[in-house]
Amino acid sequence: MAKPEHTSTRTLVEAPALSPATIAKPELMSVEQAKAMDVARITDLFKAHLNPGQLHFMKLLGFHKVKIERAEGMFYIDQNGRKILDFFGGFGSLAFGHNHPRILEARKKFQEEKRQEIAIAFMSQYAAALAHNIAKCSPGDLDMVFLGSSGSEAMEAAVKLAERAAGPKRPKVVYAENSFHGKTKGVLAITDGSLYRADFKVADNVVRVPFADIDAVERLFRSDPEIGVIVLETIQGGGGIIQAPAEYWQKLRALCDQYGVLWVADEVQCGYGRSGRFYAFEHYGVVPDVTALAKSLGAGKAAVGAMIARRDVYMKAYGTPKTAMIHAMATFGGMGEACVTAIEGLNVLYDEGLIDNAAATGDYLLQRLQALKEKYPKIIKDVRGRGFMIGLEFHDFSQTLPMVLRPIVSVLDDKLKGSLSGFVGSLLLRDYDVLVAFTEYNRNVIRLEPPLICQREHVDRFVDAFDNLLSRGIVAIVKDFVKSQVGK
């Protein structure tokens, strides 16, 4: 029987000649051409090659009109020389603000001396020193470090290590409702968001529990001997800046010890001094079995993530020559300049007292926002957080309106979730030169994660701007936002 003819829809191109001299250079942009692009050209390229759907939301917020020319300290500077106060902080990635001089100098010296960048075949003095520093910053016996390039990669490494150390008879991993641990395929299974999971096929050895419900955790541990790992953000970021009480963490540590479950603490966003301690779990006098850092670990100039584990847990997973390479550093884990950046960053963190500043100035920020909550009780539902990781939650939209409009609008509250946050965020940028962030799951929450260098004067400028905006009243805020959309 004749084989059916195969047809392909792929576009075929003629292979180039082997001689390099015949290969023409494409129409590439230079660095200077990139720097000189105006907003219209950037928009065209973003739409053509990056994420056209995301552009829709940037236009709604008015963020698409801004071209950042440079950044320094607490501020972005746009194409018009406007200084934008950064209370967004790259979701916690800018502990030192923008372009801290000590960080720049360390990187410049590394480059001028032409030191090695990728040293996979050899031991790197910079990776070794960074691992040493991270271990010194970590409490208890957290002293084995894996270096990567992102929070997702650090969490992938943490979960894989814990699952392997727990053993094949205990393969189940517990995670919390409204958790966010990354978008890569492995940790997507423990990221509790339908938007991110979409229709991907994720690992099915996971079990979900409510966050901060220790009774639910205890029932689960008692009833299912296959549970080997529990993974939790110490402070939930995407969930809306949600904390659990000290008793929860202390009981969790005791339960993990009792049932032989390994606890992985995700400190990617809340760690590195942001809460007023190096790790947020230090507030509760407990130490997990494995944890992870990223965000500001790269000092705002490099992509660096790290998993940190107890030595006995690490050795159980990868402690022999046969198992050592199962999850060794990838090509860009422990790169020279990235490690030097992170080494200098950790020194700056302590030399400049930035953890203490996060605690003290963060408390001041919370106090001022609590006063605004009392001033605008029909608009602000809650203010919560620690240090420089703060959530400001608005009431559902209908509850902020005059009484006569509430019954009409309340049926739309679910669809309107996040609208007030968007209106406020957009107008703060447009009218007050202040940038804030939002949260993934509770869209009524504005997320505040300013750099740890933030001072009281910056807090006052932000809170005064926010106060002035809210004083317009919700109806005026809505009208002002609608006007801002005209002509886009």
Side-chain angles (χ1 to χ4, degrees):
M1 185 175 177
K3 204 173 183 180
E5 185 178 337
H6 174 72
T7 59
S8 173
T9 58
R10 294 181 183 177
T11 302
L12 299 178
V13 295
E14 188 176 341
L18 293 179
S19 171
T22 66
I23 299 176
K25 181 180 179 181
E27 293 182 9
L28 304 178
M29 296 186 74
S30 69
V31 173
E32 287 305 311
Q33 286 173 324
K35 180 175 181 288
M37 279 196 292
D38 61 17
V39 170
R41 178 63 171 150
I42 297 169
T43 301
D44 288 342
L45 295 184
F46 192 96
K47 190 187 302 181
H49 303 299
L50 284 171
N51 194 330
Q54 185 180 354
L55 188 61
H56 165 77
F57 297 104
M58 297 179 79
K59 286 183 174 181
L60 278 177
L61 295 168
F63 290 5
H64 71 299
K65 297 178 179 178
V66 178
K67 177 193 174 186
I68 298 301
E69 294 286 2
R70 59 190 184 89
E72 185 175 354
M74 286 291 298
F75 296 92
Y76 288 103
I77 297 92
D78 76 0
Q79 72 271 33
N80 301 311
R82 178 174 62 144
K83 294 181 71 174
I84 299 169
L85 180 64
D86 185 5
F87 261 61
F88 166 40
F91 291 122
S93 299
L94 292 162
F96 310 103
H98 300 273
N99 291 306
H100 190 287
R102 276 183 59 177
I103 305 300
L104 294 182
E105 183 59 31
R107 290 169 66 84
K108 180 182 177 184
K109 190 173 182 181
F110 182 95
Q111 295 163 13
E112 289 175 344
E113 296 179 359
K114 297 181 180 178
R115 299 185 220 163
Q116 80 279 11
E117 189 64 88
I118 297 176
I120 300 170
F122 310 103
M123 290 184 293
S124 165
Q125 61 269 51
Y126 306 114
L130 177 56
H132 167 271
N133 285 1
I134 292 172
K136 285 292 184 182
C137 293
S138 302
D141 48 2
L142 291 169
D143 57 7
M144 296 299 289
V145 178
F146 168 91
L147 297 174
S149 304
S150 69
S152 291
E153 187 182 1
M155 283 304 298
E156 293 274 3
V159 175
K160 283 180 71 177
L161 174 90
E163 185 177 334
R164 183 167 169 79
K169 293 183 178 179
R170 307 190 68 175
K172 292 186 180 179
V173 178
V174 178
Y175 71 100
E177 291 177 359
N178 293 323
S179 60
F180 183 89
H181 298 292
K183 298 177 187 175
T184 50
K185 193 72 182 296
V187 290
L188 200 57
I190 54 172
T191 290
D192 188 34
S194 57
L195 172 66
Y196 302 122
R197 286 192 178 195
D199 53 1
F200 295 112
K201 174 65 176 173
V202 298
D204 57 6
N205 62 324
V206 296
V207 185
R208 185 176 69 165
V209 293
F211 184 69
D213 186 340
I214 198 63
D215 293 332
V217 172
E218 185 169 13
R219 287 193 299 270
L220 201 54
F221 284 7
R222 190 189 311 122
S223 63
D224 193 343
E226 289 192 340
I227 290 170
V229 180
I230 184 167
V231 184
L232 299 166
E233 296 161 272
T234 315
I235 302 174
Q236 287 193 326
I241 316 301
I242 306 298
Q243 299 180 85
E247 311 84 69
Y248 173 84
W249 299 109
Q250 291 157 5
K251 185 69 181 293
L252 176 73
R253 179 69 275 177
L255 286 173
C256 286
D257 292 340
Q258 179 183 345
Y259 289 95
V261 175
L262 295 173
W263 166 27
V264 177
D266 183 343
E267 293 261 340
V268 166
Q269 190 170 150
C270 61
Y272 203 85
R274 181 149 297 279
S275 72
R277 300 294 295 269
F278 187 80
Y279 293 104
F281 58 71
E282 292 182 88
H283 288 285
Y284 311 115
V286 291
V287 181
D289 302 293
V290 187
T291 188
L293 293 169
K295 301 292 187 186
S296 287
L297 184 57
K301 298 300 288 186
V304 184
M307 175 212 73
I308 311 96
R310 285 172 30 205
R311 185 176 186 84
D312 60 328
V313 175
Y314 182 92
M315 296 302 286
K316 191 173 181 181
Y318 307 131
T320 69
K322 286 185 178 181
T323 60
M325 302 304 291
I326 289 174
H327 199 97
M329 280 195 296
T331 306
F332 299 115
M335 287 181 69
E337 190 172 336
C339 287
V340 164
T341 305
I343 290 167
E344 186 69 1
L346 284 168
N347 278 278
V348 172
L349 186 70
Y350 288 95
D351 290 346
E352 298 191 357
L354 297 184
I355 301 176
D356 293 333
N357 184 62
T361 311
D363 279 349
Y364 177 65
L365 174 58
L366 274 169
Q367 290 167 16
R368 289 223 54 195
L369 290 174
Q370 288 288 356
L372 283 193
K373 178 177 177 289
E374 294 172 9
K375 185 175 181 180
Y376 302 103
K378 295 180 180 178
I379 300 176
I380 301 175
K381 180 179 180 180
D382 193 21
V383 173
R384 53 182 178 265
R386 271 184 186 273
F388 283 139
M389 188 171 181
I390 293 174
L392 198 156
E393 184 175 3
F394 295 113
H395 286 287
D396 282 338
F397 194 73
S398 66
Q399 300 306 303
T400 67
L401 296 173
M403 192 68 71
V404 67
L405 296 174
R406 290 183 188 180
I408 303 168
V409 180
S410 63
V411 295
L412 298 172
D413 272 339
D414 191 54
K415 290 184 178 180
L416 290 172
K417 269 193 185 301
S419 56
L420 185 54
S421 298
F423 299 161
V424 168
S426 175
L427 295 175
L428 279 173
L429 178 63
R430 190 194 73 176
D431 297 344
Y432 302 93
D433 304 335
V434 173
L435 180 66
V436 297
F438 310 99
T439 59
E440 285 90 343
Y441 302 138
N442 186 344
R443 299 190 303 280
N444 282 346
V445 177
I446 281 181
R447 179 172 6 188
L448 305 175
E449 295 184 3
L452 306 191
I453 62 169
C454 180
Q455 300 297 311
R456 285 193 171 208
E457 64 195 77
H458 303 120
V459 170
D460 289 339
R461 176 175 163 179
F462 163 71
V463 176
D464 290 347
F466 188 54
D467 184 9
N468 188 274
L469 177 57
L470 294 186
S471 70
R472 301 181 191 180
I474 294 301
V475 173
I477 287 173
V478 174
K479 287 181 178 178
D480 288 343
F481 177 80
V482 172
K483 286 180 184 177
S484 74
Q485 300 298 300
V486 176
K488 283 192 173 182

